[in-house]
Amino acid sequence: MTVIEVAPKDIHVLVDFPIKELVQLKLIMDNMEFNCDSSNKQHLEANKFLHETFYPAITELLKELTNGA
């Protein structure tokens, strides 16, 4: 992973991932467990981001890049 740019605007970070690293990241996420404390608002927000935004985006991107393979 290479950080390409960090820009102000609620701080956005542009990163570069080789496809090999995306595949590894998805493999990690496929096999990980997030110990979410449901009484902790930050945990709930992070869990929602992981399952509703980040993981689906990585999964869909890899499908597009590998023609669904």
Side-chain angles (χ1 to χ4, degrees):
M1 177 178 84
T2 304
V3 176
I4 297 173
E5 179 181 354
V6 177
K9 180 185 176 187
D10 190 30
I11 307 287
H12 285 233
V13 178
L14 182 61
V15 295
D16 172 62
F17 283 100
I19 193 167
K20 181 179 178 182
E21 290 180 6
L22 286 176
V23 169
Q24 291 172 340
L25 182 58
K26 183 176 181 304
L27 178 63
I28 291 166
M29 290 188 296
D30 285 342
N31 292 283
M32 72 174 205
E33 182 176 319
F34 176 53
N35 295 318
C36 182
D37 176 357
S38 61
S39 66
N40 184 321
K41 183 180 177 183
Q42 288 181 314
H43 279 218
L44 292 172
E45 290 171 356
N47 191 57
K48 182 177 179 178
F49 169 73
L50 174 65
H51 290 98
E52 295 180 14
T53 304
F54 190 64
Y55 182 80
I58 296 294
T59 301
E60 187 59 33
L61 178 59
L62 284 172
K63 282 181 186 175
E64 290 176 16
L65 294 174
T66 60
N67 296 319

